[in-house]
Amino acid sequence: MTKQYIAVLISLLVLISGNIVFAQTQFVSGKVIDAATGKVIPGVNVFESNFNGATTNSSGKFKIELDTGLTQLKFSFIGYQFKSVKLKVDEENDDLLVRLIPKDFDLKTVVVSASKRSQDIYEVPVSIEILPAKLIETKNTANIEDALQQVPSVNILDGQANIRGGSGFSYGAGSRVLVLVDDMPMLSGDASDVKWNYLPVENINQIEVLKGASSALYGSAALNGIINIRTKQPTETPQSDINFYSGVYSSFGDTDSEGNKKDTAGNYYRPLKWKEGGSSTFSGFHISHLQKIKKTGVGIQVVGFNDEGYRQGETEQRLRANFQLNRFFNNNLKLSLSGGSMATRGGLFFLWDSDSTALQPRGGIDTSTTSLSYYTNYRFHLDPRITVYSSKGDIHELKSRIYLTDNNSITQPSSQAKSYYVEYQYQHQIDSSATVTAGLSFYRNVINSTLYNDHTGLNVAPYIQYDKTWKKLTFNAGLRVEYFKVDSNVSYVDYLIPTGIKYTDSSTTWNDTIVLAKKVPWKPIARIGLRYELTKSTSLRASVGQGYRFPSIAEMFVSTNIDLLNVFPNPELSAERGYSAEIGIKQGFQFGNFQGYVDGAVFLTEYTNMMEFSFGFYAPDSLSPPYQLAEFFSYTGFKSINVGKARVSGFDLSMAGSGNIGQIGVSVLAGYTFMNPISLNRDSAYISTYSDTTANAPLKYRFRHLAKADFLLEYKRFYFGLSGRYNSFMQNIDRSFEEPLIPPFVVTTILPGLKEYRQGYLKGDLVVDARLGYQFNTSTIAIVINNFANKLYMGRPGDFQPPRTVQIQYRIKF
């Protein structure tokens, strides 16, 4: 879509949303007051459904021009209950008095991720964060990956989600965090990674982030936690949302600012840029409509995005469409069908040319030499679901998904994965204080790939969870049993069970009787949680849960190379397991009409058989020393291996709140996390892969400190938001990214200049975003500035994050 076309559409929308009155009209005026105190309320939004609206002034008064006849006038303000007033407009009215009722002190935010059922967040016995839709909308986030960077305790390194330091980085292969959309898994079948641009950022109700091992309920990929994206559903009131935006990337500048790096001699490198003259731009749109007609709900969303990129050759064009259908029958049967598809094309950046030309890819952009992946991808999913509500209050749900990811590249190997997921879940309310949730899930993957070859995977798992409340004490316990198979090879767990078969070993002095044992293909995983309500607004909690993760197809079978970067398969890779424990407290608060909670927790996570892509010389058994230089080149690179035990301990604090302080609406989401991620494997060969080999060095690709904060202020028609996120210096990475590849033979490194860059930036990164908007009745125009200070910073090694971006957003809701 061209910029001119977008400009024309925006102009048309502005005209449509204007107050053009053709029928006979009359003025209606009045005053809005607090029903409890009688005080006037400034800044109340007063509107009707035909885009016409007004706002109360400092005296709580408003005046609005309406068409004659019957209408419905609506009143909305943060901290007060929504109110709708029916009017017959037949003559000028100047004495309408409207009383708004303050919302009671109520911390209730409904979540479902903790126990696979609806719960008040205040009752959940584990740490959970909520990312509200308003933060995503006002920041005009085009990708959920970017939105999650604002969630306390969460960071994402080049697509890989990490909660409380539980994961590191291994590009596009495996995930310890399970991502769901409406309780359905959204990891690809081949690499078990997240296709972030496929997730429905335009239709989010809220995002729930559950911290700690969640395998007992959600299975293999939930070893480090889950991210559950809950979408908006059709309601009796139609909801339409149209959003257009366009923005520009800044360059990193050409002055001696913090954005320019010094070498070891104190000399500045030239500014990081790849494009002379002009700037790279991006633009996009989304259109969404939700409506319930009698007992049938309908929803549709269309999204388009075009990005010229801030790095040479890294572009993206995508078009996506989603739909929702649901139908109620006799109030006890609900049939649902949702789905979507997306087509994308562009270039994916892997390796820089050097640190002083870090926005240019190794090998240029010519397809015969480039390290870029020029791709065309296709995604598709379809979700049929049946829900039955029995007369006794039981709930039976059968949900399923077909998910296709088709990745095609003209410069790198391609892959296609088909995933089939079916889950039956039964929920039984034993009494008012006890609930049982049980189910069985079936997950099958079929992979056809030049990157991994052809494989199939199968995962079957029954599970059960019990929740019970005794007055102020809440208890829950869950158990899941996992079965996993790749091709014809069953994944056996590493413990034995007796078979009952005995035999006498005559070779021993005492003719010992031995009971035979065997490995089993089923892995049980359990968790338990407790919560105690000290007061109405204070609760203590404690939980411990086991985790288990089977290796992905990619981790076991990937075989590729990008320039000097070789990646080798490991079909013998074993599953990793672990546990996560925490003790926490949640404290609710209210100051006038502003309310929220503060949450704190101390946590401990341990892994056994932890999987990690490790650099080394992986020659086949058929070769023996002395090795030739060509052999060193051919068999030196990365392979996913089991590196032994690891531990992550620490604590986090977070706060969420919303409401009014005086005449200003305030929303806050903030948090700080301290992590101490260490390896318990002191093997010298493994430690030698670290860039920092000191005794107290943390695990690779982790931060010790994370801090996040977002503030949104609303006054009358204006809103202003400020976001900040800080991570400490990434102390440890793979040594091979900083040192010569095969010393002393070769001096070339995978990422030239990375070591010098990292030595110059040991303070960590603070990135600040800002946004300012103005509401025209049902329309909003806003300016969003990300990376306001134009900070030069990095995610994974060699991956410079975007410079300052400035975008204009126009949005209309009706």
Side-chain angles (χ1 to χ4, degrees), residues 612-716:
E612 198 175 79
F613 272 92
S614 294
F615 187 81
F617 180 61
Y618 300 107
D621 294 337
S622 59
L623 289 180
S624 58
Y627 300 107
Q628 302 298 314
L629 182 59
E631 292 172 337
F632 271 104
F633 267 117
S634 298
Y635 299 110
T636 298
F638 289 88
K639 177 193 282 190
S640 185
I641 63 175
N642 297 109
V643 297
K645 293 186 176 182
R647 176 187 299 145
V648 184
S649 57
F651 66 89
D652 57 21
L653 296 169
S654 64
M655 184 188 79
S658 64
N660 291 344
I661 299 178
Q663 298 182 22
I664 300 176
V666 180
S667 299
V668 179
L669 177 64
Y672 166 75
T673 306
F674 169 77
M675 297 155 286
N676 185 32
I678 60 172
S679 172
L680 302 179
N681 176 8
R682 305 312 299 172
D683 178 73
S684 58
Y686 173 63
I687 296 299
S688 68
T689 67
Y690 281 19
S691 63
D692 184 341
T693 58
T694 57
N696 296 319
L699 290 168
K700 290 181 286 188
Y701 307 109
R702 268 77 165 187
F703 305 117
R704 290 193 185 275
H705 305 273
L706 279 177
K708 312 283 184 75
D710 182 84
F711 300 90
L712 180 65
L713 308 178
E714 299 175 89
Y715 178 72
K716 295 185 177 180

Side-chain angles (χ1 to χ4, degrees), residues 249-252 310 359 786-787 790-791 793 801-805:
Y249 292 102
S250 302
S251 69
F252 279 114
Y310 63 96
L359 304 185
N786 292 327
N787 193 1
N790 207 21
K791 171 78 174 180
Y793 70 109
Q801 296 301 289
R804 180 193 300 118
T805 61

Side-chain angles (χ1 to χ4, degrees), residues 128-182:
I128 191 168
E129 300 286 355
I130 304 298
L131 183 66
K134 182 180 287 187
L135 190 153
I136 299 171
E137 291 178 0
T138 57
K139 292 196 72 171
N140 195 40
T141 306
N143 191 315
I144 289 179
E145 177 183 1
D146 297 330
L148 287 168
Q149 297 285 23
Q150 208 55 51
V151 177
S153 302
V154 176
N155 71 284
I156 300 176
L157 288 179
D158 205 7
Q160 290 198 322
N162 186 328
I163 300 175
R164 287 176 169 172
S167 300
F169 170 74
S170 54
Y171 183 81
S175 176
R176 294 190 182 103
V177 176
L178 179 61
V179 175
L180 307 141
V181 175
D182 293 327

Side-chain angles (χ1 to χ4, degrees), residues 4 13 23 45 90 106 143 201 203 206 234 239 278 322 438 473 495 527 612 701 725 729 797:
Q4 293 85 356
L13 288 170
N45 292 315
D90 52 8
D106 185 6
N143 191 315
V201 68
N203 189 39
Q206 67 183 28
Q239 307 170 63
N322 287 50
L473 179 66
Y495 62 85
R527 78 166 184 177
E612 198 175 79
Y701 307 109
R725 52 193 181 275
F729 176 67

Side-chain angles (χ1 to χ4, degrees), residues 164 212-213 528 542-546 579-584 601-606 648-650:
R164 287 176 169 172
I528 187 171
S543 65
V544 59
Q546 292 178 300
Y579 72 88
S580 179
E582 72 165 44
I583 298 174
V602 178
F603 60 85
L604 172 67
T605 301
E606 284 203 4
V648 184
S649 57

Side-chain angles (χ1 to χ4, degrees), residues 63-134:
K63 189 173 185 179
I64 185 171
E65 190 175 13
L66 303 173
D67 293 343
T68 56
L70 294 174
T71 191
Q72 199 168 44
L73 207 53
K74 302 171 184 179
F75 299 82
S76 175
F77 193 61
I78 294 175
Y80 290 85
Q81 297 179 18
F82 179 85
K83 186 164 187 175
S84 180
V85 177
K86 291 183 178 179
L87 289 175
K88 184 177 182 180
V89 182
D90 52 8
E91 58 183 21
E92 190 163 328
N93 189 322
D94 60 0
D95 59 358
L96 189 63
L97 182 64
V98 179
R99 295 179 173 86
L100 294 188
I101 301 173
K103 290 182 179 178
D104 294 331
F105 175 49
D106 185 6
L107 294 176
K108 288 186 178 180
T109 299
V110 176
V111 298
V112 300
S113 302
S115 298
K116 285 203 170 188
R117 66 183 183 91
S118 296
Q119 285 181 286
D120 176 358
I121 190 175
Y122 205 57
E123 299 172 353
V124 173
V126 293
S127 290
I128 191 168
E129 300 286 355
I130 304 298
L131 183 66
K134 182 180 287 187

Side-chain angles (χ1 to χ4, degrees), residues 564 629 633 738-750 752-753:
L564 298 175
L629 182 59
F633 267 117
E738 292 190 342
E739 302 292 345
L741 191 61
I742 313 174
F745 303 105
V746 183
V747 296
T748 305
T749 56
I750 297 174

Side-chain angles (χ1 to χ4, degrees), residues 189-190 404 416-420 444-448 455-457:
D190 50 3
L404 169 67
Q416 182 187 82
K418 298 176 183 176
S419 299
Y420 306 92
R444 178 171 173 78
N445 296 313
V446 179
I447 291 90
N448 303 108
H455 298 281
T456 59

